[in-house]
């Protein structure tokens, strides 16, 4: 394994650092990411969707390869997405991989948070392998375990609870100093 992880420019990707959305399951990373990318007129990558496209349903990957196998696939796809630039939405556990954490140090990392009352309806009826047993209790436990790592990596933190996607996107753009970039038509 190499001692250093190339950043986007060294890896032949975008010279502009990616904007990477991290946070717990159900915080709105995919939805907000799509809107932010459209607002900034840059590409969007949802790493969970990329995994599904290449390897099939995430629950199937977990069943076939276990969580360690899934995390390795996820690490590779996350690296490609960050190197390509634009807005990148990561799965909730992706920032925990040591190589991903190192790669994130060169990016603008936005931690999206959400309160329990807001996230509960978003998670209902989902197929998230880590919530199959335990539901909201499992969500709370996973969040408590991951939150310190999220906060260590975050450039900014934005709460999505009870707010419109448009306001969230504008707050992110403003706090990252991107207010003058493309606007949604």
């Amino acid at each position: 394994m190499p001692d250093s992880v190339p950043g986007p420019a060294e890896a032949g990707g975008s010279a502009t650092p990616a904007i990477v959305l991290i946070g717990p399951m159900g915080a709105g990373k995919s939805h907000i990411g799509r809107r932010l990318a459209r607002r900034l007129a840059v590409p969007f990558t949802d790493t969970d969707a990329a995994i599904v496209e290449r390897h099939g349903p995430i629950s199937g990957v977990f069943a076939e390869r276990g969580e360690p196998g899934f995390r390795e696939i996820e690490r590779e796809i996350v690296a490609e997405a960050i190197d390509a630039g634009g807005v990148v939405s990561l799965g909730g556990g992706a920032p925990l991989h040591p190589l991903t954490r190192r790669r994130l140090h060169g990016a603008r990392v936005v931690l999206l948070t959400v309160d329990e009352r807001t996230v509960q309806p978003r998670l209902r009826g989902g197929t998230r392998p880590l919530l199959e047993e335990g539901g909201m209790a499992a969500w709370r436990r996973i969040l408590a375990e991951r939150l310190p790592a999220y906060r260590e990596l975050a450039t900014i933190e934005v709460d999505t609870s009870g707010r419109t996607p448009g306001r969230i996107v504008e707050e992110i753009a403003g706090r990252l100093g991107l207010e003058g970039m493309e606007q949604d038509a």
Side-chain angles (χ1 to χ4, degrees), residues 137-171:
W139 182 86
R140 283 189 293 277
R141 178 186 51 74
I142 292 166
L143 174 60
E145 290 169 359
R146 294 176 178 176
L147 193 56
Y150 291 160
R151 287 195 165 136
E152 175 189 320
L153 293 165
T155 305
I156 63 170
E157 184 172 329
V158 177
D159 187 5
T160 66
S161 305
R163 300 178 62 208
T164 66
R167 287 186 186 247
I168 295 163
V169 165
E170 289 309 312
E171 179 180 344

Side-chain angles (χ1 to χ4, degrees), residues 22-87:
I22 65 171
M25 292 175 269
K29 298 178 298 287
S30 297
H31 185 70
I32 298 302
R34 260 188 229 85
R35 293 202 44 162
L36 181 62
R38 192 170 49 241
R39 157 77 167 74
L40 301 175
V42 298
F44 171 66
T45 304
D46 178 326
T47 59
D48 281 348
I51 291 168
V52 170
E53 186 178 304
R54 291 188 198 173
H55 299 278
I58 290 174
S59 57
V61 177
F62 261 79
E64 184 181 307
R65 301 182 187 202
E67 187 172 358
F70 169 79
R71 294 295 174 203
E72 192 53 35
I73 290 169
E74 180 179 56
R75 182 200 59 77
E76 292 170 8
I77 288 176
V78 166
E80 291 172 16
I82 291 172
D83 288 349
V87 175

Side-chain angles (χ1 to χ4, degrees), residues 118-137:
T118 302
V119 81
Q120 198 161 15
R122 293 178 185 177
L123 299 176
R124 232 179 254 132
T127 58
R128 299 169 194 263
L130 295 178
L131 297 183
E132 282 179 0
E133 293 181 29
M136 284 306 296

